[in-house]
Amino acid sequence: GAVVSQHPSWVICKSGTSVKIECRSLDFQATTMFWYRQFPKQSLMLMATSNEGSKATYEQGVEKDKFLINHASLTLSTLTVTSAHPEDSSFYICSASPSGSLVFGPGTRLTVL
Amino acid sequence: AQKITQTQPGMFVQEKEAVTLDCTYDTSDQSYGLFWYKQPSSGEMIFLIYQGSYDEQNATEGRYSLNFQKARKSANLVISASQLGDSAMYFCAMREPQGGNTPLVFGKGTRLSVIA
């Protein structure tokens, strides 16, 4: 079946640094990918929709300049958390839709010290 | 207004018993899809079952069934013969339209604990 991978699976960084998270569709092409954020003991909240070849669409309250999304190819979307702060510590999950179904990546756990 | 409402923050069930996790949704679209996911402590989102708004029969997948009551806008998940490995967070989610390239909207989730 269709698979979405994420890298890294976990990352620890210092406050003020930037972190890049990759989301790849392994066996299908994805013109659109979705990025979610999940704080501890909470639900998944949509952050943005990543569109191949065009700008991402951000949900209300999500800072575009802080969470940079680049959908460089039909199989890769990246989320860069710029100038990370402890409150950005969260679980980041991407998903994509091959042929109408929905597949989630395994997630990336970010801890900002 | 919340699109997906899960009113049970936590549920306990005895092993081998059945349990129902509640989910109600809000939409004015005729076309939508309803999903249930299981999220163990590892964080991965495991797809369990799907119900399309035009599907007349309730979806079933092994021990999982979805009690779809369209008029009441509810899509409850029934897990039969609970197992210890079923202990996890369970999320109900909706997509509009059904089959569209749109994101899922999730409920707050229900933490299920299966007791031996």
Side-chain angles (χ1 to χ4, degrees), chain A residues 31-32 34 36 38 42-44 46 49 91 93 97 100-102 104-106 109, chain B residues 35 37 39 41-45 91 95 99-108:
Chain A
T31 55
T32 303
F34 306 105
Y36 294 84
Q38 184 181 29
Q42 294 188 25
S43 185
L44 281 76
L46 180 68
T49 300
F91 192 56
I93 311 177
S97 292
S101 64
L102 257 166
F104 282 87
R109 199 165 297 279
Chain B
F35 300 74
Y37 284 85
Q39 187 181 44
S41 55
S42 63
E44 63 179 314
M45 296 295 285
F91 291 100
R95 186 184 212 184
N101 197 10
T102 52
L104 292 187
V105 175
F106 287 87
K108 292 187 175 182

Side-chain angles (χ1 to χ4, degrees), chain B residues 38 48-49 59-66 77-79 86 90:
Chain B
K38 172 184 178 182
L48 296 178
I49 197 165
T60 59
E61 290 285 350
R63 295 188 298 112
Y64 305 107
S65 59
L66 200 152
L77 176 71
V78 181
I79 304 175
D86 293 335
Y90 288 80

Side-chain angles (χ1 to χ4, degrees), chain A residues 16-80:
Chain A
T17 61
S18 295
V19 174
K20 181 185 284 188
I21 302 170
E22 294 185 348
C23 176
R24 290 182 187 274
S25 57
L26 296 187
D27 46 7
F28 65 97
Q29 293 183 333
T31 55
T32 303
M33 290 183 175
F34 306 105
W35 286 96
Y36 294 84
R37 179 169 55 182
Q38 184 181 29
F39 291 111
K41 300 189 189 299
Q42 294 188 25
S43 185
L44 281 76
M45 296 298 294
L46 180 68
M47 296 178 66
T49 300
S50 172
N51 303 299
E52 189 269 335
S54 64
K55 290 183 180 179
T57 306
Y58 291 82
E59 295 300 299
Q60 194 172 15
V62 177
E63 300 174 56
K64 301 178 185 182
D65 296 332
K66 182 167 184 61
F67 298 99
L68 301 179
I69 290 174
N70 186 319
H71 200 139
S73 74
L74 287 171
T75 59
L76 174 64
S77 174
T78 60
L79 167 68
T80 301

Side-chain angles (χ1 to χ4, degrees), chain B residues 82-99:
Chain B
S82 296
Q83 302 171 357
L84 294 177
D86 293 335
S87 294
M89 280 292 290
Y90 288 80
F91 291 100
C92 179
M94 179 171 66
R95 186 184 212 184
E96 304 163 285
Q98 176 181 337

